[in-house]
Amino acid sequence: MSPFSALNDLMMELMLLILIIGILIAAAIPIYTSYLEKAKIAEAIGLMSGIKSSMAEYYSYHGHFPAKTEQLLGIKTGGKYTTHITINNGAITATMRHNNLSLSLRPALAKNEQPKVITYVCGYATPPDGFIVQGDNKTNIPLHYLSLTCR
């Protein structure tokens, strides 16, 4: 066996190893990108969840949802990945910082309940039976980034 034959075998094994590593990296990048987008959306949902209690309190006192964000005091309207959160006729909408995508969280009121029962509809989800949704859905995030409760 010549030294060149052993060198050729070693080079072939090295090239095969580099090919396998390249394939693994190519498969991992989309998964990691999807994970990052979902983490950004999770931050927005967390911020909006903090606003829900202020909204319910406002509704119980005034009998309607606030028309604008400024009507709620002391709420956090931005984060690391969330540019701003706005309220428009009860609908809470978060806008993401880098891709300008938005997610809406809309209040839904029970039709015949006194006092009113409030639940929230996330993104493209449909409201439960017997509930009327308030505000507009401004969600424009692709479905594959949203959790099942927002699809």
Side-chain angles (χ1 to χ4, degrees):
M1 186 164 147
S2 73
F4 291 114
S5 175
L7 185 60
N8 281 340
D9 289 344
L10 182 63
M11 289 298 289
M12 289 297 285
E13 287 180 19
L14 185 60
M15 288 174 51
L16 184 61
L17 179 64
I18 290 172
L19 177 67
I20 291 171
I21 290 172
I23 291 171
L24 290 174
I25 290 173
I29 289 174
I31 293 169
Y32 183 69
T33 303
S34 177
Y35 169 78
L36 285 178
E37 290 300 319
K38 289 178 181 180
K40 293 173 186 178
I41 294 167
E43 179 200 63
I45 290 173
L47 289 170
M48 290 189 298
S49 294
I51 296 172
K52 287 187 335 185
S53 60
S54 297
M55 295 275 288
E57 193 174 308
Y58 186 96
Y59 185 87
S60 69
Y61 185 75
H62 296 284
H64 59 85
F65 290 106
K68 299 290 178 195
T69 312
E70 295 79 25
Q71 292 176 284
L72 295 176
L73 300 175
I75 61 168
K76 186 172 181 182
T77 60
K80 183 175 180 181
Y81 302 113
T82 307
T83 302
H84 61 277
I85 295 176
T86 57
I87 297 170
N88 191 355
N89 295 323
I92 308 166
T93 302
T95 303
M96 306 302 142
R97 187 170 301 282
H98 300 291
N99 50 18
N100 210 29
L101 295 176
S102 296
L103 177 66
S104 291
L105 194 62
R106 298 169 295 145
L109 300 171
K111 289 180 184 177
N112 299 322
E113 298 290 324
Q114 289 297 334
K116 284 293 186 185
V117 174
I118 302 170
T119 188
Y120 286 86
V121 178
C122 179
Y124 303 112
T126 56
D129 290 337
F131 282 80
I132 301 171
V133 177
Q134 306 290 310
D136 296 327
N137 182 14
K138 296 185 180 177
T139 302
N140 61 359
I141 297 173
L143 284 174
H144 60 276
Y145 290 132
L146 295 174
S147 65
L148 292 176
T149 57
C150 294
R151 291 183 186 178

